[in-house]
Amino acid sequence: DAKTTQPPSMDCAEGRAANLPCNHSTISGNEYVYWYRQIHSQGPQYIIHGLKNNETNEMASLIITEDRKSSTLILPHATLRDTAVYYCIVSYNTDKLIFGTGTRLQVFP
Amino acid sequence: AAGVIQSPRHLIKEKRETATLKCYPIPRHDTVYWYQQGPGQDPQFLISFYEKMQSDKGSIPDRFSAQQFSDYHSELNMSSLELGDSALYFCASSLGVLLSLDTEAFFGQGTRLTVV
């Protein structure tokens, strides 16, 4: 199963950048890093995914280290609506998403 | 844009009854995944289908079965319901399986099953 490590919780002031780290030291060369979030019992929401290059979309940026053993999800201007549990997921040679415990991000005013 | 549709959104059943949850994937998506999320828990993978064939299986009880139909919608059948089956059940869909393609899975809003 997937082995990613994330801090259990983080705080961020509204309007500031939220940087959520993830360690995935056993990732192999063809495995993608996915980020999802879940806002209070809603369905997990896809944010972004990447292989080795940094990625950016309208929601966030994903920075993957050169050795691919860790990554950081960046929400450039956090809002109260970004309060959620953020999951970093690596497929680890399976065709499914295995959710770990995630990071509970609290955005405060 | 069309999303993953799950029905019903809420379901209340008594112990030992059966329940059927339905999932309608995003149009053209051929892969469906089912997850169970108990209170205070993270989503747990149950089972997945690719092109109407089971592609992977997780910690799905023998009392549960699922299938994907010719129109790619999927149904999760749950029999002999127990109190511990009370949970949120999410369905996700993707175009192709995650391992082989640069693709992503999108989740529905879930079905909240309460067993009393």
Side-chain angles (χ1 to χ4, degrees):
Chain A
D1 286 349
K3 295 290 189 293
T4 59
T5 305
Q6 300 178 252
S9 64
M10 294 181 65
D11 291 337
C12 179
E14 190 176 21
R16 303 295 295 270
N19 298 287
L20 291 88
C22 179
N23 289 319
H24 30 78
S25 58
T26 57
I27 194 171
S28 64
N30 63 342
E31 292 166 338
Y32 286 83
V33 179
Y34 294 86
W35 283 84
Y36 283 76
R37 72 181 182 183
Q38 188 174 30
I39 300 172
H40 189 56
S41 298
Q42 295 180 21
Q45 180 186 21
Y46 167 79
I47 301 173
I48 199 168
H49 75 283
L51 183 62
K52 57 180 69 174
N53 299 319
N54 297 338
E55 302 287 344
T56 296
N57 63 20
E58 65 278 6
M59 288 184 68
S61 294
L62 174 60
I63 308 298
I64 302 175
T65 58
E66 192 169 345
D67 63 7
R68 303 209 328 119
K69 293 185 176 182
S70 65
S71 61
T72 300
L73 178 74
I74 301 173
L75 307 178
H77 306 286
T79 71
L80 299 178
R81 289 176 297 178
D82 292 322
T83 293
V85 178
Y86 287 76
Y87 295 98
C88 167
I89 303 170
V90 174
S91 57
Y92 283 99
N93 280 326
T94 68
D95 56 359
K96 58 183 178 284
L97 299 170
I98 301 296
F99 288 80
T101 53
T103 295
R104 187 171 298 276
L105 176 68
Q106 179 69 52
V107 181
F108 56 92
Chain B
V4 177
I5 305 298
Q6 292 188 244
S7 68
R9 292 295 309 278
H10 302 272
L11 190 59
I12 300 175
K13 290 285 186 178
E14 295 188 354
K15 284 192 303 183
R16 293 179 291 278
E17 285 192 318
T18 61
T20 297
L21 309 185
K22 297 184 178 183
C23 171
Y24 298 88
I26 292 172
R28 296 190 301 113
H29 281 193
D30 51 15
T31 307
V32 167
Y33 314 80
W34 285 96
Y35 287 80
Q36 178 191 59
Q37 186 173 27
Q41 304 293 313
D42 302 300
Q44 298 294 314
F45 172 75
L46 292 178
I47 196 167
S48 61
F49 294 88
Y50 169 63
E51 281 291 345
K52 293 155 279 185
M53 299 289 289
Q54 182 181 306
S55 61
D56 207 340
K57 195 172 182 179
S59 50
I60 183 169
D62 292 340
R63 299 178 290 108
F64 294 7
S65 65
Q67 58 182 323
Q68 186 179 30
F69 295 86
S70 58
D71 64 351
Y72 295 103
H73 94 273
S74 179
E75 295 183 4
L76 178 65
N77 299 294
M78 311 160 70
S79 63
S80 303
L81 287 170
E82 302 174 355
L83 296 178
D85 297 328
S86 295
L88 279 165
Y89 290 84
F90 292 108
C91 170
S93 74
S94 64
L95 179 60
V97 293
L98 296 178
L99 177 62
S100 59
L101 296 172
D102 180 7
T103 187
E104 58 269 12
F106 296 95
F107 283 77
Q109 287 307 298
T111 294
R112 182 176 293 279
L113 173 66
T114 302
V115 181
V116 298

